[in-house]
Amino acid sequence: MKKLNYQQAYDALQRLIEELENDASIDLMPGKIKEAMQLLQICKNKLRDANDALEEAKNKSEEN
Amino acid sequence: MHYTLLQLNQLIESTLAQVFYGKTFIVLAETSEIKKSGNGHYYFDLIEKDGQTLLAKMHAVIWKSASPVITNFENTTGQKFERNLKLMLKAEVRFHTAYGLQLQVVDIDTSYTLGQIALQTQATLQLLVKNNAQHITLADGQYFTTNNKLQPKGLLKRIALITAVNSDGCNDFLHEINNNVYGYSYNVTTCYALVQGNEAATQVKQQLHYILINHKQFDAVALVRGGGSQTDFNAFDDYDLCAAVAAFPLPIIAGIGHERNVSICDLMCYKSVKTPTKAAAFFVDFHLHAEQQLDNMYNRFIANLDRNLINRNNNLENLEQDLIFYAQNVIDRQQHLHDKFEIALKHLNPEKVLQRGYAIIKKNNSIITESTKLMPRDLVQIQLKDGIKEANITH
């Protein structure tokens, strides 16, 4: 999977879920679920990084 | 018969006394050639002109005993008692054998002078608006100028200070700004100029010109005077100076020490305050305000980011739930179909059919499903749930 930014990963995840919602082929499902879980992990990691940075900024702001 | 000069003057004195003695007159005249003697008397000429033509002239005096009249005049009008002032005076006519005819001034009508100043100010303002439309406009009684509409970006740290050398105003400004309670530091460049008297307007304009040429070195201009008399503000009503202030590209903060009046310069500049100390305080307040704005902006940024991350996190959780839900749905649907097939297949199994009481009829090992395929005397096999029997077809 090529390197995606948050929005790209989020959009791709949304598209996969829409495909599942519209009844995906059962043959493709294992692959799609695996891909969706990878995209979800990318989004979660990026969100966690942003949250960590925000917490650091808040702590610095309180120190000042 | 002849008179000595003294005799003649005594005759004039007594003749005039008959008409003028004990009477006071309200006189409208212009001052000229004022001299203050060492013993505190003011000697000057009063004149009346029609354009450049002199129509009348008389010596006048304000004795030291009446000099509070001048102090009162200067304090009330903010106008120095000097030449070329059009005044309304209360005076007595005196003739002295040694000094001749003179008007002895006992009072000056300050309200008349204030009216004259107001008229002059109004005329100057009208001319400024008319001739400098690109820099000065009047709307709803307020003057909007290029200078007072400036919106400084960043802090006002590099200040060009126009002030009189070694003046109290200069010292007050520098003391206030260098000892501000917040410890902010400023880079103040002094640009010395006379700030009162006839040369003041010209010198202040020259310094503004210097600052304009070097404007990249400065963020703002402070124009201060103070500590001196509360008179002689004419320079700050000067047409050319006020036009230059109105058009100036750096914010000008004026603290020129008026207690009563507002000069035209005050109306044209970015910010007008009463004293040099308050002018310095303006810069400190400006810095403080900018700092608070920055803090607010940072806090807003953090709060927005916080909200944004919470929203994204919620969205992601929803997507995760959707992913599980819809994938499960697809699998469940397929599973359901499998189950249906399985049930159908179970029902179709021949053993299950035989158990329900049905039989399979075969002839020569082929299943017979139609009666037309059997003829009398044919041998058939009948398969039941527990075994096979043979039988003949009779008819």
Side-chain angles (χ1 to χ4, degrees), chain A residues 34-50:
Chain A
K34 195 176 163 190
E35 190 184 346
M37 293 310 290
Q38 283 176 345
L39 291 168
L40 191 65
Q41 201 53 49
I42 289 171
C43 289
K44 280 184 172 178
N45 287 346
K46 287 187 184 290
L47 206 57
R48 194 192 57 230
D49 289 348

Side-chain angles (χ1 to χ4, degrees), chain A residues 5-16:
Chain A
N5 65 29
Y6 179 88
Q7 199 55 48
Q8 287 168 331
Y10 185 89
D11 291 345
L13 181 59
Q14 213 164 26
R15 273 197 303 276
L16 274 178

Side-chain angles (χ1 to χ4, degrees), chain A residues 6 10 17 23 29 44 58, chain B residues 306 312 315 319 330 333:
Chain A
Y6 179 88
Y10 185 89
I17 290 168
D23 214 355
M29 268 198 66
K44 280 184 172 178
K58 278 182 185 171
Chain B
D306 222 352
R312 281 174 189 270
N315 289 345
L319 277 186
V330 173
R333 275 201 297 276

Side-chain angles (χ1 to χ4, degrees), chain B residues 44 53 86 108 111 142 176-177 213:
Chain B
F44 51 101
T53 310
K86 204 168 184 184
I108 305 171
S111 58
Q142 267 201 305
E176 180 73 13
I177 206 155
I213 292 167

Side-chain angles (χ1 to χ4, degrees), chain B residues 145-159:
Chain B
T145 68
T146 298
N147 198 253
N148 67 25
K149 283 191 293 189
L150 287 172
Q151 293 182 323
K153 292 178 177 63
L155 301 172
L156 305 179
K157 303 281 276 180
R158 301 170 305 160
I159 303 164

